[in-house]
Amino acid sequence: MKIARFNEGRVGVVVDDQHLVDISDLAGMDTHQWPPVGPTSLIARFAELRPRIEQALGDLPRIALASVKLQTPVPWPNKVIAYPVNYHDHGREMQANYRATHQGFFLKPNSSLSGAGEPVVLPNVPTREVHHESELAIVIGKEARGIRREDWKDYVFGYACLLDMVVRGREERVFRKAYDSFCPVGPWITTADEVGDPTNLEMELWVNGESKQHANTRDLVLDIPGMVEMAAAVMTLYPGDIIATGTPAGVGPVRAGDKVRIRIERVGEMTVDVVQGTQGATAVFETPYTPDIVKQK
Ligand code: MN
């Protein structure tokens, strides 16, 4: 099943390539609630609600996907976890002497989340490049702490495409990755049963139609079971938590006017516009920095 969020907090199920069905009322969601935790609790209750949703899909009106604005599927998770340097080729291009297996994760602020129908807003930091990182997102479905690696599947709700946007530099990683709109997730969550085996998914990213990143999740250094196990070793994972699994080689700058397209096999595809914003200038990025990226064969 594909669970989308659209038009000011409605939740829908995508029923074919061109339509979705609004299940907000069926799921008992208050779409005006603040904070917007409806999707978080929908994920927690999904197993219980699923039969009712499936039964109602044929009876509810179909809405053209082209007519809605897709928002980030889980706007208020407990946390967004992200694994750095988790493909060897990206580690080589960045000349990083570590990998996620022995580095652990960092967090991105929930306020950086945005959706497929929203632009990436570049901060006013003219001395710096803002880079795209294409990543598979794991969405947690069940509370987890201290779990065994072999049980990882029990805790995964689904998957989505994720762009881990970053201002390149040597300052705090979280600071450089924290801007509003620096974590587009979408176009929706595809549930784990529909994706099947996530350890062999083709993933590609284009900027203005030109392929920049192309990889397969089989090349992850710390694999998907390992990422769930490691995160749950440290913290309690909650339904709706998002794990950004790391980016392969080919990262590079985006500029205002660019269109960034990400596609992950059996998960989805989205194209996000890049626009220039006026906010975001701080003392931190006063000094220029140009990353020394080593081109991968
Ligand atoms: Mn990343």
Side-chain angles (χ1 to χ4, degrees), residues 154-170:
D154 298 344
Y155 300 94
V156 174
F157 177 71
Y159 303 92
C161 302
L162 184 148
L163 298 173
D164 178 16
M165 304 303 297
V166 56
V167 177
R168 285 289 171 222
R170 297 199 184 282

Side-chain angles (χ1 to χ4, degrees), residues 46-245:
F46 191 74
E48 166 205 334
L49 287 168
R50 185 166 186 158
R52 235 185 303 160
I53 294 170
E54 280 174 346
Q55 206 181 8
L57 283 184
D59 302 328
L60 292 169
R62 294 186 167 210
I63 304 166
L65 264 173
S67 71
V68 306
K69 181 182 164 183
L70 289 171
Q71 298 182 293
T72 205
V74 189
W76 209 271
N78 185 259
K79 53 195 162 295
V80 179
I81 302 152
Y83 283 92
V85 196
N86 207 14
Y87 287 85
H88 285 299
D89 60 357
H90 176 59
R92 287 191 292 269
E93 76 177 347
M94 300 305 289
Q95 301 169 75
N97 60 1
Y98 61 86
R99 298 293 182 265
T101 34
H102 292 84
Q103 179 76 9
F105 51 78
F106 63 97
L107 300 176
K108 277 176 83 91
N110 296 342
S111 49
S112 66
L113 290 165
S114 62
E118 296 161 321
V120 165
V121 182
L122 298 176
N124 179 22
V125 290
T127 58
R128 296 302 178 92
E129 291 183 354
V130 174
H131 281 200
H132 56 78
E133 296 188 349
S134 68
E135 309 199 8
L136 171 74
I138 303 168
V139 181
I140 296 296
K142 196 173 146 190
E143 194 170 314
R145 180 81 212 272
I147 62 166
R148 295 184 311 168
R149 175 185 160 85
E150 54 267 36
D151 295 332
W152 70 277
K153 270 188 188 166
D154 298 344
Y155 300 94
V156 174
F157 177 71
Y159 303 92
C161 302
L162 184 148
L163 298 173
D164 178 16
M165 304 303 297
V166 56
V167 177
R168 285 289 171 222
R170 297 199 184 282
E171 300 83 359
E172 283 289 351
R173 175 182 268 129
V174 168
F175 186 95
R176 293 183 289 104
K177 292 182 175 239
Y179 283 99
D180 284 3
S181 82
F182 266 28
C183 196
V185 174
W188 39 68
I189 299 167
T190 302
T191 53
D193 58 304
E194 197 166 313
V195 172
D197 178 14
T199 65
N200 183 20
L201 297 174
E202 286 289 311
M203 171 167 81
E204 190 158 5
L205 177 139
W206 299 258
V207 177
N208 302 330
E210 188 181 334
S211 179
K212 299 285 188 185
Q213 297 188 272
H214 190 183
N216 188 293
T217 53
R218 79 169 89 86
D219 296 323
L220 283 160
V221 182
L222 177 62
D223 63 7
I224 292 169
M227 281 187 265
V228 176
E229 178 193 37
M230 185 184 281
V234 175
M235 332 176 265
T236 303
L237 305 185
Y238 293 102
D241 280 2
I242 294 166
I243 300 178
T245 54

